[in-house]
Amino acid sequence: NASLLGILQHPDGTVLKQLQPPPRGPREQEFYNKVYDSDCCDSILLELREYLPKYFGVWSPPTAPNDTYLKLEDVTRKFNKPCIMDVKIGQKSYDPYASAEKIQQQVSKYPLMEEIGFLVLGMRVYHVSSDSYETQNQHYGRSLTKETVKDGISKFFHNGYCLRKDAIAASIQKIEKILKWFEGQQQLNFYASSLLFVYEGLCQATTVRLSDVTLAEKRGVPKGLLSGGDILEYNNNIHVINSTENGKIEASVSKGLSKFYALHKKAYSKRHHSQLSLKVENLEQDNMWKSSTCITQEHLNGNVIPQLEKVFCHMPTERKESANVEVRMIDFAHVFPSNTKDEGYIYGLKNLITVLQNILDN
């Protein structure tokens, strides 16, 4: 996952980003030093820390003391199958001090920057079905137009089974917090800076094949549910087991477990219908389990869901906490002091929110 960002992973849970040649490298280092200064008492900078990777100073390899690396938090570390996207934000990807040729070079790379306000620099998406990653490089982002940018971004949230609406909604909430910070500060302007998006690609219930879901939809019962035997197998993905007391389903969802448990046919009498509920024993996996609602949202008509709840298991619709998603600001080689709002960055954030909201609504 670090190769996407051109940085090295350190065994201690940080990443090492090589300092660029002057003036860019020193400028980025100065930015981090300023924001993370232990004497900092500027509330705007203190809040900004929330949206950045944690900074642990600089590091040089003993063998090459002149090579300097920024030591930063690895935002992807807590994820099993991190899906990562790097999006450059702003209407201009050149700074106020850029030469005419630098401006020309930057504009020609993506002439739509002014209009769209952001550019996808790369993405890496975990596909559940193939247990592999699909990667897109910067050429992918530059090929996106006003008309195709929505589909281009939605690709990042599609895991081969369904659109991860939970991850989109959580991303919007996090961008909105960053937008609010930008609306409230006039001391820094950011050029050619990015947002790093990370969400958990391991979404438990997506191991149900779509054809199975469609089948359940047509028949109103999962295939194999009505045959005999204490433990019934459902396409090797779902094992139907005896119900526990009160007809409740106990789902133990644990790391790497690609199966979930549903009620045995004996529990499908009417008196149990109202009691169907789901208990997730491993709270760490709670989010992933909840994100499995993407199946019901994406592939089942609303009117089928009540039927499925009767014969299947109740998929929680409300989320007590947002999906396992990180959105962090990165790349600060072109951050400059200012006395005005960063309108270009604000424009980009607002447009990105609009695009994500459109994906969610349609």
PDB file of all heavy atoms in Angstrom, residues 125-134 159-161:
ATOM      1  N   VAL A 125      -7.864  -0.698  -4.884  1.00  0.00           N
ATOM      2  CA  VAL A 125      -9.145  -1.171  -4.358  1.00  0.00           C
ATOM      3  C   VAL A 125      -9.105  -2.684  -4.173  1.00  0.00           C
ATOM      4  O   VAL A 125      -8.720  -3.408  -5.094  1.00  0.00           O
ATOM      5  CB  VAL A 125     -10.307  -0.813  -5.327  1.00  0.00           C
ATOM      6  CG1 VAL A 125     -11.648  -1.169  -4.697  1.00  0.00           C
ATOM      7  CG2 VAL A 125     -10.265   0.658  -5.692  1.00  0.00           C
ATOM      8  N   TYR A 126      -9.513  -3.131  -3.009  1.00  0.00           N
ATOM      9  CA  TYR A 126      -9.563  -4.569  -2.736  1.00  0.00           C
ATOM     10  C   TYR A 126     -10.842  -5.152  -3.321  1.00  0.00           C
ATOM     11  O   TYR A 126     -11.939  -4.678  -3.030  1.00  0.00           O
ATOM     12  CB  TYR A 126      -9.522  -4.821  -1.231  1.00  0.00           C
ATOM     13  CG  TYR A 126      -9.619  -6.283  -0.855  1.00  0.00           C
ATOM     14  CD1 TYR A 126      -8.582  -7.170  -1.159  1.00  0.00           C
ATOM     15  CD2 TYR A 126     -10.747  -6.773  -0.202  1.00  0.00           C
ATOM     16  CE1 TYR A 126      -8.671  -8.513  -0.817  1.00  0.00           C
ATOM     17  CE2 TYR A 126     -10.839  -8.116   0.146  1.00  0.00           C
ATOM     18  CZ  TYR A 126      -9.803  -8.971  -0.163  1.00  0.00           C
ATOM     19  OH  TYR A 126      -9.886 -10.302   0.176  1.00  0.00           O
ATOM     20  N   HIS A 127     -10.699  -6.175  -4.171  1.00  0.00           N
ATOM     21  CA  HIS A 127     -11.864  -6.855  -4.735  1.00  0.00           C
ATOM     22  C   HIS A 127     -12.087  -8.160  -3.997  1.00  0.00           C
ATOM     23  O   HIS A 127     -11.236  -9.040  -3.990  1.00  0.00           O
ATOM     24  CB  HIS A 127     -11.686  -7.082  -6.232  1.00  0.00           C
ATOM     25  CG  HIS A 127     -12.031  -5.869  -7.041  1.00  0.00           C
ATOM     26  ND1 HIS A 127     -12.321  -5.895  -8.371  1.00  0.00           N
ATOM     27  CD2 HIS A 127     -12.140  -4.564  -6.678  1.00  0.00           C
ATOM     28  CE1 HIS A 127     -12.599  -4.667  -8.799  1.00  0.00           C
ATOM     29  NE2 HIS A 127     -12.483  -3.844  -7.792  1.00  0.00           N
ATOM     30  N   VAL A 128     -13.244  -8.251  -3.368  1.00  0.00           N
ATOM     31  CA  VAL A 128     -13.537  -9.384  -2.490  1.00  0.00           C
ATOM     32  C   VAL A 128     -13.537 -10.695  -3.266  1.00  0.00           C
ATOM     33  O   VAL A 128     -12.978 -11.696  -2.814  1.00  0.00           O
ATOM     34  CB  VAL A 128     -14.904  -9.182  -1.801  1.00  0.00           C
ATOM     35  CG1 VAL A 128     -15.123 -10.247  -0.749  1.00  0.00           C
ATOM     36  CG2 VAL A 128     -14.981  -7.805  -1.174  1.00  0.00           C
ATOM     37  N   SER A 129     -14.157 -10.686  -4.439  1.00  0.00           N
ATOM     38  CA  SER A 129     -14.345 -11.935  -5.186  1.00  0.00           C
ATOM     39  C   SER A 129     -13.021 -12.587  -5.544  1.00  0.00           C
ATOM     40  O   SER A 129     -12.850 -13.794  -5.412  1.00  0.00           O
ATOM     41  CB  SER A 129     -15.152 -11.668  -6.453  1.00  0.00           C
ATOM     42  OG  SER A 129     -14.662 -10.496  -7.081  1.00  0.00           O
ATOM     43  N   SER A 130     -12.050 -11.778  -5.959  1.00  0.00           N
ATOM     44  CA  SER A 130     -10.779 -12.346  -6.415  1.00  0.00           C
ATOM     45  C   SER A 130      -9.711 -12.288  -5.331  1.00  0.00           C
ATOM     46  O   SER A 130      -8.600 -12.756  -5.532  1.00  0.00           O
ATOM     47  CB  SER A 130     -10.288 -11.575  -7.645  1.00  0.00           C
ATOM     48  OG  SER A 130     -10.216 -10.194  -7.343  1.00  0.00           O
ATOM     49  N   ASP A 131     -10.049 -11.709  -4.173  1.00  0.00           N
ATOM     50  CA  ASP A 131      -9.097 -11.528  -3.081  1.00  0.00           C
ATOM     51  C   ASP A 131      -7.819 -10.870  -3.608  1.00  0.00           C
ATOM     52  O   ASP A 131      -6.703 -11.295  -3.322  1.00  0.00           O
ATOM     53  CB  ASP A 131      -8.779 -12.878  -2.413  1.00  0.00           C
ATOM     54  CG  ASP A 131      -7.862 -12.707  -1.190  1.00  0.00           C
ATOM     55  OD1 ASP A 131      -7.910 -11.630  -0.578  1.00  0.00           O
ATOM     56  OD2 ASP A 131      -7.105 -13.646  -0.876  1.00  0.00           O
ATOM     57  N   SER A 132      -8.003  -9.829  -4.430  1.00  0.00           N
ATOM     58  CA  SER A 132      -6.835  -9.154  -4.997  1.00  0.00           C
ATOM     59  C   SER A 132      -7.132  -7.660  -5.127  1.00  0.00           C
ATOM     60  O   SER A 132      -8.274  -7.230  -4.996  1.00  0.00           O
ATOM     61  CB  SER A 132      -6.510  -9.734  -6.374  1.00  0.00           C
ATOM     62  OG  SER A 132      -7.588  -9.497  -7.255  1.00  0.00           O
ATOM     63  N   TYR A 133      -6.072  -6.900  -5.397  1.00  0.00           N
ATOM     64  CA  TYR A 133      -6.221  -5.452  -5.518  1.00  0.00           C
ATOM     65  C   TYR A 133      -6.256  -5.022  -6.978  1.00  0.00           C
ATOM     66  O   TYR A 133      -5.538  -5.571  -7.801  1.00  0.00           O
ATOM     67  CB  TYR A 133      -5.049  -4.739  -4.833  1.00  0.00           C
ATOM     68  CG  TYR A 133      -5.157  -4.714  -3.336  1.00  0.00           C
ATOM     69  CD1 TYR A 133      -4.538  -5.677  -2.559  1.00  0.00           C
ATOM     70  CD2 TYR A 133      -5.886  -3.720  -2.693  1.00  0.00           C
ATOM     71  CE1 TYR A 133      -4.631  -5.647  -1.169  1.00  0.00           C
ATOM     72  CE2 TYR A 133      -5.989  -3.686  -1.316  1.00  0.00           C
ATOM     73  CZ  TYR A 133      -5.356  -4.648  -0.559  1.00  0.00           C
ATOM     74  OH  TYR A 133      -5.460  -4.615   0.805  1.00  0.00           O
ATOM     75  N   GLU A 134      -7.098  -4.047  -7.243  1.00  0.00           N
ATOM     76  CA  GLU A 134      -7.066  -3.388  -8.547  1.00  0.00           C
ATOM     77  C   GLU A 134      -6.428  -2.020  -8.336  1.00  0.00           C
ATOM     78  O   GLU A 134      -6.811  -1.289  -7.421  1.00  0.00           O
ATOM     79  CB  GLU A 134      -8.490  -3.234  -9.095  1.00  0.00           C
ATOM     80  CG  GLU A 134      -8.497  -2.657 -10.508  1.00  0.00           C
ATOM     81  CD  GLU A 134      -9.905  -2.349 -11.012  1.00  0.00           C
ATOM     82  OE1 GLU A 134     -10.873  -2.900 -10.461  1.00  0.00           O
ATOM     83  OE2 GLU A 134     -10.011  -1.539 -11.949  1.00  0.00           O
ATOM     84  N   ASN A 159     -16.335  -2.788  -4.581  1.00  0.00           N
ATOM     85  CA  ASN A 159     -15.433  -3.902  -4.283  1.00  0.00           C
ATOM     86  C   ASN A 159     -15.681  -5.135  -5.139  1.00  0.00           C
ATOM     87  O   ASN A 159     -15.247  -6.229  -4.807  1.00  0.00           O
ATOM     88  CB  ASN A 159     -15.529  -4.268  -2.794  1.00  0.00           C
ATOM     89  CG  ASN A 159     -16.913  -4.771  -2.415  1.00  0.00           C
ATOM     90  OD1 ASN A 159     -17.746  -5.050  -3.277  1.00  0.00           O
ATOM     91  ND2 ASN A 159     -17.167  -4.895  -1.130  1.00  0.00           N
ATOM     92  N   GLY A 160     -16.399  -4.979  -6.248  1.00  0.00           N
ATOM     93  CA  GLY A 160     -16.672  -6.118  -7.115  1.00  0.00           C
ATOM     94  C   GLY A 160     -18.018  -6.748  -6.813  1.00  0.00           C
ATOM     95  O   GLY A 160     -18.608  -7.398  -7.665  1.00  0.00           O
ATOM     96  N   TYR A 161     -18.512  -6.529  -5.573  1.00  0.00           N
ATOM     97  CA  TYR A 161     -19.841  -7.020  -5.204  1.00  0.00           C
ATOM     98  C   TYR A 161     -20.831  -5.885  -5.119  1.00  0.00           C
ATOM     99  O   TYR A 161     -21.954  -5.972  -5.556  1.00  0.00           O
ATOM    100  CB  TYR A 161     -19.814  -7.676  -3.815  1.00  0.00           C
ATOM    101  CG  TYR A 161     -19.350  -9.101  -3.827  1.00  0.00           C
ATOM    102  CD1 TYR A 161     -18.169  -9.455  -3.201  1.00  0.00           C
ATOM    103  CD2 TYR A 161     -20.102 -10.077  -4.462  1.00  0.00           C
ATOM    104  CE1 TYR A 161     -17.733 -10.758  -3.213  1.00  0.00           C
ATOM    105  CE2 TYR A 161     -19.671 -11.377  -4.482  1.00  0.00           C
ATOM    106  CZ  TYR A 161     -18.488 -11.716  -3.861  1.00  0.00           C
ATOM    107  OH  TYR A 161     -18.059 -13.002  -3.874  1.00  0.00           O
TER     108      TYR A 161
END
